[in-house]
């Protein structure tokens, strides 16, 4: 009989920043890498060290020891260091699909700069696994994945529990919603099951007896995987010696110091036919529900909000516009890769999740700002280039042209704001204060403008005000040119502004003096608290501030919508745990005050001010429970008797012809240890909800499995969550608020706006005062209603996905152009609007790439064209897959390439 083989893989799970700031972990990493390189040089039997699936370790090490670049390169080339497939060990659910693609691309680039990439997807520590993992791995050229969580058994510290196992083996077939399949390898005994192997014979005997039994319990083949390492574990220098001892003690086994590539080859050759199959996302739904770590989605909400904003700027604005507007040769590959590397540092599973110490998250905010600055620079250059290409010389002399750009994949309807430069006075022509006075004079004139299109027809719009301020041009070939400019603030109403489009408009001064203009008879507001357009009628209760909403399309009325709920939280950055008193405070407890903020023909804004008297903080019991490191399931703290006012200013916006009802909330949080949510009791009777995940609209049950003990069952979303029955439905869009929960009472969608906790949690006592999120806060979300058709539901999804991506505007001159006055750079026509575009970029060969996914679990006809070209399908590395004539498959992710 062939011997069982024990594959021992040396590694260290390297949380780059977590319970210490980045640099403290970093210096330990340098020490680890020094030791690994020495060991490679001195122990020929040491097969290799696995760099935790994240190539960033190379960059981090060489930042301190650049002189070791050749040693590192040689080690990778010789297979002694195993690098990739990712650039960072990301969080799965809280980052955009494009971030995942960049993590694959940059991980591979970094590894292949030196040698071969490790050939396995690696998710040792992600807090659950996204459903599209199999398809994404296939598109990244991988057919297997190792992961640590999501499938039972997953308990405290992922120890194997006695209850039933979802897969009979640690190896399983994992199938995604599109039917892509990969080999899944679960760290059933965690990624530390071969850590600290004794050399002492007596200890070794006991160690192996136990560890071999554990691994054999789950292994489907005679190839046993032992992971020699754990979180931030120094390399075991005598591991090959320890394996020699093991070999003597257990001659029936073959002990091999190895690596994932060799282990995988051996396992694949021996796989039995009866492997279990697991499907879609893996989020530990068959556990007691306490340690899914899903509440990291609401820890430090400010990070998630900033991330949403920065991702839009980098992906939808900078990258896309650079790809379509700049000459191919000027596409800023290196600058974008630089920005992505920085952003990916924030997308690591202890970073964007908000579950580290304060220093870590402070540094993250600086990184976000850096990425934002790079993105804004690239976007500004690209949109200026686009504006220069658009023909504007048909506008009358004296008019001031400007370009509006819709970078989203959805037609837009609503009021957009533009700042149009009217005139500038250069410092070289006069003293700054004199130039300022000159421009101020223009702002003070009672000018009267019309907004016109290229054919001369007037469009609905108005100038709402003027600003005078300093500016400076930074020419590429000369010294800076400072000036004072005067700008008109312009509102333009657009109806169905096409996806991926530009349009030239102009401000034209009229000779007729401005009358008490813009006072139209039209209004969307009545009785001071009713907003109404042709699609919706929204009544705000003067008694409790809740909304009654009539969806005119379906004639369905929703009641008591948008109620705020505040509860105590004695948990930590990972886990929400309601205080033992279960004291809950609602906005409906007191009457609101209601003001009209804007009342124009095309937009109505009403402010609702609700005051909740909430406990100031948890009782001192919580302080004791934290210091004594008492597990959250055993805590007994309550909330204080002392209260503070939580005053929520909700600005509710309805625009003409728009199906979206928008909410922007501003408030000052002065309370600790609590959670704030907004509730939408839809009263729809459904058993499932749909939410946007990564490259997927995932359907999830509203009620958890029978094993579930946690009284809450939060879930994660990208842009939206939806509840619908056979007749009507509600899509709730959000701007960087990734945590929701479906409450069975009244079919309520609960959206978390803020969660305030004072400690990190997990394995020790780490205070995190900044996770209490004190001071000014904001939240934006919107309701979009749909009828019984799939097309209308998908329309609501598309609106939700692009709701917070603004229309861009740029002032330009009158000039000839290679582009007509209006047009589109991309045409996407899919049945039922089922295709969502996630990113547009140029690949290494400067070909245009359009990436997106099917919102539906059904196939659809689709046609994607750039300048009448149909393109071809490629993978994440831009390798040809097929032609594009085939229908879009269920849940398919597509990368179109246009030469
Ligand atoms: Zn980790």
């Amino acid at each position: 009989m062939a011997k069982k083989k024990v594959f021992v893989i040396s590694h260290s799970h390297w949380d780059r920043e977590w319970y210490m700031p980045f640099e403290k972990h970093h210096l330990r990493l340098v020490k680890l890498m020094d030791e690994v390189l020495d060991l490679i040089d001195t122990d020929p039997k040491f097969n290799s060290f696995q760099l935790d699936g994240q190539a960033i370790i190379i960059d981090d090490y060489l930042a301190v020891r650049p002189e070791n670049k050749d040693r590192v390169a040689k080690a990778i080339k010789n297979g002694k260091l195993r690098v990739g497939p990712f650039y960072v060990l990301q969080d799965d659910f809280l980052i955009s699909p494009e971030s995942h693609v960049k993590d694959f691309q940059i991980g591979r680039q970094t590894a292949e700069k030196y040698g071969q990439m490790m050939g396995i997807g690696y998710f040792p520590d992600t807090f659950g696994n996204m459903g599209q993992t199999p398809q994404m791995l296939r598109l990244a050229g991988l057919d297997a994945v190792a992961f640590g969580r999501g499938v039972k058994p997953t308990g405290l510290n992922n120890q194997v529990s006695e209850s039933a196992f979802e897969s009979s083996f640690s190896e399983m077939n994992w199938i995604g919603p599109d039917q892509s399949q990969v080999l899944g390898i679960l760290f059933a005994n965690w990624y530390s099951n071969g850590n600290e192997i004794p050399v002492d014979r007596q200890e070794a005997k006991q160690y192996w007896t136990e560890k071999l039994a554990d691994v054999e319990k789950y292994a489907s083949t005679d190839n046993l995987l032992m992971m020699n390492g754990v979180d931030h574990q120094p390399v075991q220098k005598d591991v090959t010696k320890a394996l020699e001892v093991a070999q003597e003690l257990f001659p029936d086994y073959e002990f091999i110091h190895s690596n994932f590539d060799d282990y995988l080859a051996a396992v694949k050759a021996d796989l039995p036919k009866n492997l279990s199959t697991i499907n879609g996302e893996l989020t530990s739904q068959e556990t007691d529900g306490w340690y899914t770590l899903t509440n990291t989605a609401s820890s430090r909400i400010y990070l998630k909000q900033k991330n949403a904003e920065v991702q839009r700027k980098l992906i939808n604005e900078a990258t896309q516009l650079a790809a379509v507007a700049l000459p191919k040769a000027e596409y800023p590959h290196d600058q974008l890769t630089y920005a992505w590397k920085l952003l990916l540092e924030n997308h690591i599973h202890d970073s964007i999740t908000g579950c580290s110490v304060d220093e870590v998250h402070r540094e993250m905010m600086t990184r976000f700002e850096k990425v934002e600055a790079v993105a804004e620079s690239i976007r500004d250059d690209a949109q200026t280039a686009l504006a220069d290409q658009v023909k504007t010389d048909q506008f009358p002399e004296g008019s001031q042209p400007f370009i509006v750009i819709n970078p989203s994949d959805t037609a837009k309807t609503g009021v957009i704001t533009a700042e149009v430069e009217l005139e500038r006075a250069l410092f070289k022509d006069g003293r700054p204060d004199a130039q300022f006075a000159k421009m101020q004079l223009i702002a003070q004139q009672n000018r009267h403008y019309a907004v016109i299109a290229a054919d001369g027809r007037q469009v609905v719009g108005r100038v709402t005000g003027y600003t005078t301020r300093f500016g400076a041009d930074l020419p590429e070939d000369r010294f800076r040119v400072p000036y004072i400019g005067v700008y008109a603030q312009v509102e333009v109403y657009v109806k169905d502004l096409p996806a991926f489009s530009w349009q030239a408009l102009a401000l034209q001064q009229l000779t007729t003096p401005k009358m008490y203009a813009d006072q139209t008879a039209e209004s969307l507001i009545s009785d001071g608290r009713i907003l109404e357009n042709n699609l919706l009628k929204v009544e705000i209760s003067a008694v409790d501030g809740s909304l009654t909403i009539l969806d005119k399309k379906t004639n369905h009325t929703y009641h008591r919508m948008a109620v705020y709920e505040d509860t105590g939280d004695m948990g930590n950055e990972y886990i929400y745990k309601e205080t033992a008193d279960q004291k809950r405070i609602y906005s409906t407890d007191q009457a609101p005050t209601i003001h009209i903020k804007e009342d124009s023909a095309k937009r109505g804004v009403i402010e609702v001010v609700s005051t909740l008297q909430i406990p100031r903080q948890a009782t001192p019991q919580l302080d004791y429970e934290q210091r004594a490191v008492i597990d959250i399931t055993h805590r007994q703290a309550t909330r204080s008797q002392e209260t503070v006012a939580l005053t929520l200013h909700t600005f509710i916006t309805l625009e003409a012809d728009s199906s979206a009802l928008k909410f922007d909330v501003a408030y000052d949080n002065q309370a600790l240890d609590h959670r704030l949510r907004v509730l939408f009791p839809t009263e729809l009777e459904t058993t499932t909800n749909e939410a946007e995940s990564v490259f997927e609209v995932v359907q999830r049950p509203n009620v958890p499995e029978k094993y579930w003990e946690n009284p809450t069952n939060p879930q994660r979303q990208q842009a939206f969550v939806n509840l619908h029955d056979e007749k009507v439905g509600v899509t709730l869009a959000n701007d960087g608020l990734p945590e929701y929960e479906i409450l069975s009472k009244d079919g309520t969608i609960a959206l978390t706006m803020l969660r305030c906790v004072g400690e990190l949690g997990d394995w020790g006592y780490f205070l995190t005062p900044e996770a209490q999120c004190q001071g000014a806060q904001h939240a934006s979300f919107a309701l979009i209603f749909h009828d019984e058709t799939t097309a209308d539901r998908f329309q609501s999804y598309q609106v939700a996905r692009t709701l917070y991506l603004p229309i861009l505007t740029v002032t330009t001159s009158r000039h000839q152009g290679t582009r007509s006055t209006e047009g589109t750079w991309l045409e996407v026509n899919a049945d039922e609007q089922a295709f969502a575009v996630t990113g547009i970029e140029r690949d290494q060969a400067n070909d245009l790439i359009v990436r997106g996914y099917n919102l539906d679990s059904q196939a659809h006809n689709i046609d994607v064209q750039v300048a009448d070209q149909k393109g071809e399908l490629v993978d994440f590395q831009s390798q040809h897959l097929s032609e594009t004539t085939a229908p879009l498959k269920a849940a398919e992710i597509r990368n179109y390439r246009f030469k």
Side-chain angles (χ1 to χ4, degrees):
M1 203 184 85
K3 286 183 185 178
K4 287 192 173 185
K5 291 180 177 169
V6 183
F7 291 83
V8 177
I9 298 179
S10 289
H11 79 112
S12 190
H13 173 57
W14 204 266
D15 298 300
R16 195 169 176 269
E17 49 190 20
W18 182 23
Y19 58 86
M20 295 193 294
F22 166 66
E23 294 300 351
K24 289 191 177 174
H25 286 300
H26 190 190
L27 294 194
R28 295 178 68 89
L29 177 74
V30 171
K31 192 173 258 175
L32 167 74
M33 288 295 292
D34 281 346
E35 290 180 358
V36 168
L37 288 174
D38 286 348
L39 189 57
I40 288 169
D41 285 349
T42 53
D43 183 354
K45 289 186 188 146
F46 187 82
N47 176 283
S48 60
F49 189 80
Q50 201 252 111
L51 288 182
D52 199 30
Q54 43 175 341
I56 195 172
I57 286 180
I58 303 294
D59 288 352
D60 285 345
Y61 178 62
L62 293 180
V64 178
R65 291 219 195 272
E67 70 275 16
N68 278 353
K69 190 172 178 189
D70 291 344
R71 281 181 85 194
V72 168
K74 190 175 145 207
I76 296 173
K77 197 154 169 278
N78 295 338
K80 293 288 185 179
L81 283 177
R82 301 279 165 156
V83 196
F86 301 122
Y87 186 61
V88 299
L89 285 190
Q90 71 285 52
D91 179 77
D92 269 23
F93 294 94
L94 302 177
I95 67 175
S96 64
E98 291 301 297
S99 297
H100 284 285
V101 175
K102 288 293 154 191
D103 200 22
F104 280 119
Q105 289 176 342
I106 298 173
R108 182 179 281 273
Q109 269 168 30
T110 310
E112 291 183 347
K113 197 159 71 185
Y114 302 103
Q116 216 191 330
M117 185 183 90
M118 181 172 85
I120 186 170
Y122 199 66
F123 299 88
D125 197 21
T126 35
F127 308 160
N129 294 283
M130 57 202 161
Q132 287 281 29
T133 306
Q135 187 177 187
M136 291 162 69
L137 289 170
R138 287 285 176 181
L139 287 167
L142 298 167
D143 62 5
V145 57
F147 61 100
R149 298 183 206 269
V151 171
K152 203 175 183 179
T154 313
L156 181 59
N157 295 324
N158 277 67
Q159 293 306 300
V160 175
S161 69
E162 291 308 309
S163 47
F165 190 44
E166 282 177 67
S167 168
S168 342
F169 303 116
S170 42
E171 295 80 47
M172 59 200 86
N173 292 319
W174 185 2
I175 297 181
D178 70 316
Q179 302 306 310
S180 286
Q181 183 176 326
V182 292
L183 172 63
I185 294 168
L186 174 72
F187 293 124
N189 301 289
W190 206 223
Y191 50 69
S192 55
N193 69 329
N195 197 29
E196 296 180 353
I197 304 171
V199 174
D200 175 87
R201 293 178 70 89
Q202 191 121 30
E203 286 174 38
K205 181 106 197 168
Q206 194 191 337
Y207 178 95
W208 286 110
T209 304
E210 214 174 282
K211 298 286 183 174
L212 288 172
D214 283 346
V215 67
E216 285 178 84
K217 204 158 132 193
Y218 296 112
S220 67
T221 75
D222 289 345
N223 305 287
L224 311 176
L225 176 63
M226 305 288 286
M227 298 297 288
N228 178 233
V230 71
D231 300 358
H232 306 113
Q233 177 78 8
V235 63
Q236 184 178 347
K237 290 179 194 149
D238 56 5
V239 66
T240 59
K241 181 92 199 345
L243 294 187
E244 281 169 22
V245 173
Q247 194 62 71
E248 285 168 32
L249 293 172
F250 296 84
D252 293 345
Y253 293 82
E254 184 185 350
F255 291 85
I256 311 166
H257 192 241
S258 188
N259 56 71
F260 262 108
D261 298 295
D262 291 352
Y263 163 72
L264 260 189
V267 168
K268 282 182 193 165
D270 289 354
L271 283 177
K273 290 203 167 59
N274 61 339
L275 283 190
S276 305
T277 293
I278 52 169
N279 291 286
E281 69 176 17
L282 312 175
T283 56
S284 302
Q285 293 296 299
E286 309 223 332
T287 66
D288 65 9
W290 281 113
Y291 300 96
T292 65
L293 314 184
T294 304
N295 292 118
T296 50
S298 55
S299 177
R300 301 179 190 258
I301 276 290
Y302 63 92
L303 294 176
K304 283 68 167 176
Q305 292 174 317
K306 190 70 191 169
N307 187 47
E309 183 188 357
V310 171
Q311 288 185 144
R312 281 195 295 269
K313 284 186 177 168
L314 183 61
I315 299 164
N316 306 95
E317 298 181 3
T319 306
Q320 175 177 209
L321 291 183
V324 300
L326 294 180
K328 270 189 190 182
E330 288 175 28
Y331 184 78
H333 284 287
D334 296 338
Q335 292 86 335
L336 288 169
T337 300
Y338 168 73
W340 269 112
K341 282 186 165 187
L342 270 174
L343 186 56
L344 286 169
E345 288 182 36
N346 280 359
H347 287 174
I348 297 176
H349 61 280
D350 296 309
S351 303
I352 188 61
T353 41
C355 56
S356 292
V357 291
D358 290 345
E359 295 94 322
V360 165
H361 300 298
R362 243 178 269 145
E363 185 173 1
M364 282 179 67
M365 290 307 280
T366 308
R367 281 190 211 122
F368 278 134
E369 283 168 18
K370 286 161 75 79
V371 177
E372 188 170 31
V374 174
E376 286 176 357
S377 291
I378 294 172
R379 174 201 65 197
D380 291 350
D381 286 352
Q383 69 182 15
T384 300
L386 179 68
D388 287 347
Q389 293 154 16
V390 176
K391 180 175 153 55
T392 51
D393 55 1
Q394 69 281 38
F395 286 110
E397 211 167 318
S399 66
Q400 178 53 63
F402 61 100
I403 312 293
V404 299
I405 302 166
N406 179 8
S408 83
D409 68 352
T410 309
K412 292 263 190 175
T413 294
V415 178
I416 61 172
T417 51
E419 188 178 67
V420 179
E421 187 181 317
L422 297 174
E423 259 177 71
R424 63 171 68 170
L426 304 181
F427 281 13
K428 74 175 175 62
D429 298 331
R431 263 176 33 202
D433 58 337
Q435 302 301 63
F436 186 80
K438 216 189 285 177
M439 292 298 102
Q440 278 282 70
L441 211 58
I442 293 174
Q444 285 155 7
Q445 289 166 357
N446 190 23
R447 290 189 182 186
H448 188 194
Y449 283 100
V451 182
I452 55 170
D455 57 9
R457 100 197 117 86
Q458 198 169 333
V459 302
V460 180
R462 58 178 187 154
V463 173
T464 57
Y466 298 91
T467 41
T468 305
R469 64 156 193 273
F470 167 81
D473 269 357
L474 302 175
E476 282 178 15
D477 54 352
R478 285 175 295 135
F479 191 55
R480 60 186 184 233
V481 183
Y483 59 85
I484 301 288
V486 59
Y487 303 85
Q489 311 300 322
V490 184
E491 278 183 7
V492 183
Y493 172 74
V494 295
K495 188 149 196 282
D496 298 325
L497 184 68
F500 306 117
S501 72
W502 72 88
Q503 184 181 3
L505 297 172
L507 273 186
Q508 185 177 23
Q509 201 178 343
L510 302 178
T511 45
T512 49
K514 188 172 178 179
M515 306 302 286
Y516 293 97
D518 306 326
Q519 290 207 356
T520 57
E522 286 178 72
S523 168
L524 301 176
I525 299 178
S526 56
D527 286 352
R529 54 182 185 85
I530 295 172
L531 285 159
E532 183 169 7
N533 67 9
N534 51 338
L535 297 169
L536 298 174
K537 182 178 180 184
V538 181
E539 190 172 344
I540 303 162
S541 164
V543 177
D544 66 14
S546 71
L547 309 186
T548 303
I549 303 171
L550 169 66
D551 174 15
K552 295 183 182 177
K553 205 161 40 179
T554 58
N555 202 29
H556 186 91
T557 302
Y558 299 87
H559 303 276
R560 294 180 67 77
M561 299 287 266
V563 172
Y564 298 100
E565 168 210 74
D566 189 85
T567 58
D569 189 350
M570 57 174 161
N572 55 45
E573 290 185 323
Y574 292 92
I575 303 170
Y576 166 76
K577 179 75 195 295
E578 187 172 10
T579 45
D581 53 358
Q582 300 196 330
K583 192 187 281 177
R584 300 170 188 178
I585 292 109
Y586 295 92
S587 57
T588 44
D589 295 347
Q590 288 190 36
T593 56
I594 300 173
H595 319 275
I596 294 175
K597 296 304 283 189
E598 185 182 329
D599 185 8
S600 68
K602 297 298 182 186
R603 182 161 62 190
V605 183
I606 294 181
E607 180 189 8
V608 180
V609 183
S610 318
T611 301
L612 288 73
Q613 285 295 332
I614 64 172
R616 181 178 286 283
Q617 63 193 85
T619 50
Q621 169 78 8
L622 180 59
D623 177 59
Y624 155 72
E625 287 168 343
Q626 290 174 346
R627 285 188 297 127
V629 196
I630 290 174
D631 185 78
I632 49 107
T633 54
H634 292 101
R635 291 186 179 179
Q636 292 301 325
T638 55
R639 301 177 89 181
S640 65
Q641 292 300 317
E642 188 194 354
T643 64
V644 289
L646 177 65
T647 303
L648 304 168
H649 299 260
T650 307
F651 298 88
I652 305 174
T653 302
L654 184 68
E655 291 168 301
D657 306 309
S658 172
S659 59
L661 183 66
K662 297 184 203 167
F663 300 79
D664 298 287
V665 192
Y667 58 102
D668 179 13
N669 174 46
Q670 294 298 333
L672 308 173
D673 314 315
H674 70 122
R675 183 189 68 185
L676 177 66
R677 303 199 294 188
V678 57
L679 310 179
F680 298 95
T682 66
E683 298 178 296
L684 297 177
E685 286 180 16
T686 65
T687 55
T688 59
N689 63 88
E690 291 192 343
E692 190 188 30
S693 185
V694 175
F695 285 123
E696 179 184 19
V697 174
V698 62
Q699 194 175 73
R700 295 173 174 145
N702 292 343
V703 179
E705 298 282 337
K706 60 177 189 287
Y707 319 100
W708 200 264
E709 289 169 17
N710 187 336
T712 72
N713 181 20
Q715 300 290 334
R716 288 161 291 196
Q717 61 180 336
Q718 297 266 327
F720 62 82
V721 56
N722 168 278
L723 279 182
H724 64 270
D725 61 19
E726 318 76 60
K727 293 190 191 121
V728 300
V730 183
T731 297
L732 175 62
N734 75 86
D735 183 10
L737 303 172
E739 183 182 280
Y740 75 92
E741 184 181 359
I742 304 299
L743 312 178
S744 41
K745 183 176 161 37
D746 297 333
T748 299
I749 307 174
L751 179 69
T752 308
M753 295 165 61
L754 193 72
R755 199 163 73 81
C756 310
V757 290
E759 67 162 346
L760 190 157
D762 201 38
W763 63 278
Y765 177 57
F766 304 99
L767 282 184
T768 57
E770 289 169 24
Q772 294 281 11
C773 302
Q774 299 295 283
Q777 307 293 329
H778 69 277
S780 292
F781 43 87
L783 292 171
I784 306 146
F785 301 90
H786 65 83
D787 63 24
E788 77 283 2
T789 63
T790 310
D792 200 41
R793 189 168 87 248
F794 287 173
Q795 163 71 13
S796 77
Y797 293 173
Q798 299 281 18
V799 169
R801 290 184 68 258
T802 54
L803 197 65
Y804 296 101
L805 178 59
I807 303 285
L808 303 171
T809 63
V810 53
T811 306
T812 191
S813 57
R814 289 175 63 246
H815 49 70
Q816 298 182 321
T818 52
R819 290 179 194 259
S820 58
T821 55
E822 57 182 81
T824 60
W825 58 82
L826 174 66
E827 296 278 345
V828 177
N829 291 300
D831 288 355
E832 323 252 32
Q833 295 202 52
F835 191 68
V837 174
T838 57
I840 295 175
E841 63 172 351
R842 289 203 179 274
D843 65 11
Q844 292 301 318
N846 282 329
D847 292 328
L848 192 74
I849 302 291
V850 175
R851 189 165 24 252
Y853 74 97
N854 186 351
L855 296 169
D856 205 355
S857 51
Q858 308 281 323
H860 287 286
N861 288 315
I862 183 169
D863 185 34
V864 176
Q865 289 194 23
V866 173
D868 296 331
Q869 239 199 86
K870 297 247 182 217
E872 63 192 305
L873 297 185
V874 297
D875 65 11
F876 289 157
Q877 281 78 244
S878 214
Q879 301 292 315
H880 175 82
L881 293 175
S882 65
E883 299 309 316
T884 60
T885 43
L888 182 65
K889 286 183 288 189
E892 185 182 355
I893 302 168
R894 275 197 172 178
N895 303 271
Y896 287 86
R897 178 171 68 191
F898 300 90
K899 289 264 185 198

